[in-house]
Amino acid sequence: MPRQGKLESGDQAAPLRTCVGCRVRTVKSELLRLVVVDGVIVPDLRGRLPGRGASLHPSSGCLELAERRRAFSRAFRAQGALDVARLRAHLEGLD
């Protein structure tokens, strides 16, 4: 019986995460980890920043969906709006 929450690839299991924008479950390595630092959402490129994390596909489409759905405040369990300017600048640099 396959493990729940992991995708089997060869002999290793890879952890799954859900994109807060499009709500698609995929392998952790395909998503960008995000954390909140002083009310600003920042990309955690090394996956080492402390705090509650959320995952997002590195595309501006998923960012737009997450903003439209107000998913960031729920994912981070934060009160009020969070600043996404730094995240948007990072994603525009990737495109």
Side-chain angles (χ1 to χ4, degrees):
M1 179 171 204
R3 290 182 170 181
Q4 190 169 2
K6 296 198 179 204
L7 179 67
E8 296 292 333
S9 59
D11 12 336
Q12 282 192 324
L16 295 177
R17 298 291 184 266
T18 302
C19 174
V20 295
C22 64
R23 304 293 300 159
V24 172
R25 287 182 57 123
T26 187
V27 181
K28 177 182 171 182
S29 62
E30 294 179 10
L31 297 171
L32 179 63
R33 183 174 188 263
L34 309 171
V35 294
V36 174
V37 177
D38 297 327
V40 178
I41 299 174
V42 296
D44 183 8
L45 301 177
R46 298 177 71 201
R48 301 284 183 233
L49 291 176
R52 183 172 183 82
S55 299
L56 181 78
H57 282 110
S59 71
S60 51
C62 282
L63 175 60
E64 297 296 327
L65 279 172
E67 286 182 307
R68 194 173 338 141
R69 295 179 51 245
R70 297 183 201 125
F72 289 127
S73 59
R74 282 193 305 274
F76 292 116
R77 297 180 184 165
Q79 300 292 326
L82 297 169
D83 184 16
V84 297
R86 189 166 170 189
L87 174 60
R88 185 179 309 282
H90 175 77
L91 292 178
E92 288 173 357
L94 293 177
D95 291 341

